[in-house]
Amino acid sequence: MSDGLRARIRAGDREAFAELYESYARTVYNHAFRLTGDWSVAEEVMGDTFLDAWRTREQLEPGDGTLKPWLLGVATNKARNANRGIGRRLAFLARRPPPAPVADFADEAAGRIDDARRIAAVRTVFGRLRRGEQEVLALCVWSGLDYAQAAEAMGIPVGTVRSRLSRARARLRTLADQRLAEEKKEPPHRRGEVQREAAFAALPFQEFQEDPR
């Protein structure tokens, strides 16, 4: 990423903002998907994040630090709002008759559906964590922010990030163990899949580092 990007964005340089987008669009999208569990919602969150970032660019603090915490902080708030909207829509749909079953899926969609199914297995455990625990795990473990950067993104003290992350890891291990125990009572062809995904969710911090820019 070029030097002085923060200052250029603060000044309204569209080329600099395009460079920011190219560098972090995938990171923001992945973060949004981890918090929402929905491909299309994650795309909306990503778009809203960059739109809001452009609108509020003048509020950026001067300096040369990475802009990743800023963007993921915006994305976290957008995902939070999106999840509230999903909850309202689900409550509405629950009161309606179920739709007719879909007869078939296009072959080109199979890979994406399979990915969503595997990640949904992780989210059966991840989704039981408190919202703040989910957010700090997504920021520190999967998006690779350090404690200070996560504190900046969430607007909380560094000590709170540390304690919240510690509690989140402990709860995730406990819930994963409970989930595995439940899966032992289900058909064998599903058990192995959930075991792999639960292990994936419980991997230590260093193994989930993304690009630290």
Side-chain angles (χ1 to χ4, degrees):
M1 193 176 295
S2 64
D3 294 336
L5 186 69
R6 183 182 292 251
R8 290 167 58 200
I9 289 174
R10 279 169 50 89
D13 186 329
R14 293 181 179 274
E15 291 185 3
F17 197 81
E19 184 178 339
L20 180 75
Y21 181 88
E22 289 297 323
S23 298
Y24 290 118
R26 180 176 294 275
T27 298
V28 170
Y29 173 80
N30 288 340
H31 180 65
F33 178 66
R34 289 161 189 151
L35 292 180
T36 64
D38 186 283
W39 299 106
S40 61
V41 173
E43 290 171 356
E44 292 176 7
V45 167
M46 182 184 71
D48 288 345
T49 294
F50 281 97
L51 179 61
D52 198 52
W54 175 254
R55 288 172 174 170
T56 61
R57 62 190 181 277
E58 294 180 358
Q59 299 175 17
L60 266 176
E61 295 291 333
D64 297 320
T66 175
L67 293 172
K68 189 176 181 180
W70 173 55
L71 287 174
L72 293 185
V74 175
T76 298
N77 288 329
K78 297 296 181 183
R80 204 177 287 166
N81 293 335
N83 282 332
R84 293 193 189 102
I86 291 172
R88 288 192 292 268
R89 289 197 294 273
L90 289 176
F92 170 75
L93 291 173
R95 297 191 294 269
R96 296 175 60 85
V102 178
D104 194 12
F105 291 101
D107 291 340
E108 60 268 20
R112 197 173 202 192
I113 292 168
D114 188 55
D115 286 344
R117 180 175 57 84
R118 288 196 299 267
I119 294 174
V122 176
R123 285 187 58 81
T124 60
V125 174
F126 182 72
R128 296 178 191 173
L129 300 178
R130 298 181 180 90
R131 186 185 69 190
E133 293 171 342
Q134 292 181 23
E135 292 172 355
V136 76
L137 273 173
L139 289 168
C140 291
V141 177
W142 288 313
S143 293
L145 299 192
D146 60 30
Y147 294 129
Q149 291 172 335
E152 177 187 342
M154 299 180 72
I156 59 178
V158 172
T160 303
V161 171
R162 289 178 181 271
S163 60
R164 190 175 292 180
L165 183 59
S166 177
R167 289 196 304 271
R169 283 172 168 164
R171 279 176 51 78
L172 186 62
R173 291 190 190 98
T174 299
L175 291 171
D177 288 343
Q178 292 174 354
R179 177 62 179 169
L180 290 174
E182 294 169 0
E183 288 297 322
K184 289 180 181 178
K185 302 175 182 178
E186 297 183 5
H189 72 277
R190 293 186 56 196
R191 182 167 63 245
E193 173 185 293
V194 176
Q195 286 176 333
R196 288 193 299 273
E197 296 302 333
F200 173 85
L203 283 175
F205 171 78
Q206 291 82 359
E207 297 185 26
F208 277 95
Q209 293 281 348
E210 289 187 3
D211 187 346
R213 291 177 299 181

